[in-house]
Amino acid sequence: MNLYDYNTVKRILSHHGFTFSKALGQNFLIDPDVCPQMAQSLNADDKTGVIEVGPGIGVLTKELCKTAGKVVALELDKRLFPILDETLAGFDNLEVVNADVMKVDLKSLIDEKFAGFNSIKVCANLPYYITSPVIMTLLESNLAIDEIVVMVQKEAGERLCAEVGTRLAGAVTVTVNYYADSEILFEVGKDSFMPSPKVDSVVIKLTLHKERKFEVRDEKRFFTTVKCAFSQRRKTALNSISNTMGVSKDKVSTAFDTLGLDTNIRAEKLKMEDFIKISELI
Ligand code: SAM
């Protein structure tokens, strides 16, 4: 069954009376090159467990099942289950779980489903409405995963993979940098999907650091400082932090002076070390 063929996909969907849900970000891949490339870039083998978020009708899932030891696909939309039974019949290393990725306990899921695997990776064509929350959860939850290869909206991908201290950087960029090395692997045009979304996409790879790369005394305060610094992008970092973090302008200003930072600097120009030191001084 060729899941990249527009007419085949149309026939399967109509046979099951399936209609796309915009709210669930259902844009299915029909480009034959994208899924094999995504699966390949994971470097999975039979000792690798893969979590897929949102299998849809199973195009990417199929490729992952060919290379990984086990695939657990989390799908929120129950209507897709009978379709997946048909499209992925024959793969005995696959488990499709009806779950909301934002609510499921990923730690327990990994313990339960992937005991004995050498490496756990996440691969997905992410539903766009939860791109950042999913990635932040994967990074911040201290899970036993070592790599994330996901397709996201182009603009989101550029921000996630930007260098800290450059124009495109935001709070998510700092979080990604804190936990992982990031790279944009390749672009995917609107026409690669059914139905076509309004924007282009990119596939990004996040390789999680095995050990902490930055020394931060109080992570909670560090991330609060970062979020507050970026929360009023048109204002200076100093004003944004003092306005939203409940710390006096004098105190933040003194910290900036101590660190030799221009008090007019914007958050996007601050480096990782700057955020770390500011969070320690205020
Ligand atoms: N992997 C398929 C592909 O590439 O063609 C489908 C990708 S589609 C962009 C996103 C998928 O995520 C849909 O199948 C959708 O139903 C599912 N989804 C949406 N929200 C979800 C959630 N909160 N938890 C799990 N799956 C979700």
Side-chain angles (χ1 to χ4, degrees):
M1 191 182 309
N2 182 1
L3 296 180
Y4 302 117
D5 177 58
Y6 186 88
N7 290 323
T8 307
V9 176
K10 251 184 120 176
R11 186 178 47 72
I12 297 170
L13 296 182
S14 93
H15 174 71
H16 288 273
F18 181 85
T19 48
F20 292 99
S21 160
K22 222 175 173 182
L24 290 181
Q26 289 177 340
N27 301 95
F28 296 165
L29 273 163
I30 47 162
D31 181 329
D33 295 329
V34 177
C35 297
Q37 254 179 291
M38 286 179 77
Q40 242 173 39
S41 63
L42 262 192
N43 291 320
D45 60 25
D46 57 357
K47 286 277 170 211
T48 309
V50 177
I51 299 174
E52 188 194 3
V53 180
I57 62 164
V59 261
L60 177 60
T61 325
K62 210 172 206 172
E63 297 303 325
L64 296 171
C65 286
K66 287 183 200 164
T67 50
K70 180 173 180 181
V71 177
V72 174
L74 307 176
E75 176 56 62
L76 180 58
D77 190 346
K78 274 190 178 158
R79 298 174 306 152
L80 288 163
F81 281 65
I83 301 180
L84 287 164
D85 280 345
E86 195 178 321
T87 57
L88 298 175
F91 287 108
D92 56 7
N93 59 343
L94 167 69
E95 205 176 314
V96 185
V97 177
N98 184 213
D100 181 338
V101 65
M102 292 309 296
K103 294 191 182 145
V104 71
D105 178 349
L106 289 166
K107 231 177 207 146
S108 306
L109 181 124
I110 289 172
D111 287 347
E112 192 189 311
K113 311 282 185 195
F114 295 113
F117 281 85
N118 285 349
S119 152
I120 319 290
K121 299 171 193 273
V122 174
C123 193
N125 169 12
L126 283 177
Y128 291 155
Y129 75 105
I130 44 170
T131 299
S132 284
V134 171
I135 294 177
M136 293 304 117
T137 302
L138 292 173
L139 293 173
E140 289 168 350
S141 308
N142 202 17
L143 302 168
I145 55 175
D146 49 52
E147 216 167 60
I148 302 170
V149 171
V150 283
M151 177 160 350
V152 300
Q153 264 187 32
K154 191 173 173 204
E155 275 181 10
E158 286 171 347
R159 194 179 286 293
L160 288 161
C161 297
E163 214 175 295
V164 178
T166 63
R167 188 179 53 84
L168 286 176
V172 290
T173 320
V174 177
T175 306
V176 167
N177 260 265
Y178 184 72
Y179 291 106
D181 291 334
S182 63
E183 64 178 307
I184 294 180
L185 295 181
F186 56 92
E187 283 195 27
V188 181
K190 307 177 186 61
D191 297 341
S192 296
F193 301 89
M194 173 185 179
S196 290
K198 289 203 174 69
V199 290
D200 291 326
S201 303
V202 287
V203 173
I204 63 170
K205 181 173 186 165
L206 309 180
T207 309
L208 278 81
H209 303 146
K210 286 196 174 68
E211 278 164 25
R212 286 274 180 270
K213 195 168 162 186
F214 301 97
E215 221 175 281
V216 170
R217 273 186 243 143
D218 184 341
E219 281 191 349
K220 197 165 167 231
R221 190 147 184 91
F222 166 71
F223 285 116
T224 305
T225 307
V226 171
K227 276 186 194 126
C228 289
F230 281 105
S231 65
Q232 300 182 323
R233 283 187 82 95
R234 292 214 199 110
K235 298 212 157 102
T236 62
L238 189 159
N239 281 335
S240 192
I241 291 171
S242 66
N243 289 346
T244 56
M245 213 169 146
V247 182
S248 75
K249 200 168 168 180
D250 274 354
K251 192 163 188 189
V252 187
S253 184
T254 307
F256 274 53
D257 286 342
T258 309
L259 298 171
L261 290 171
D262 180 352
T263 47
N264 288 318
I265 198 168
R266 290 181 194 262
E268 68 209 43
K269 287 270 166 25
L270 292 169
K271 304 268 196 287
M272 285 301 279
E273 286 69 21
D274 299 330
F275 286 112
I276 294 170
K277 286 181 191 145
I278 294 168
S279 75
E280 282 169 2
L281 286 177
I282 59 174

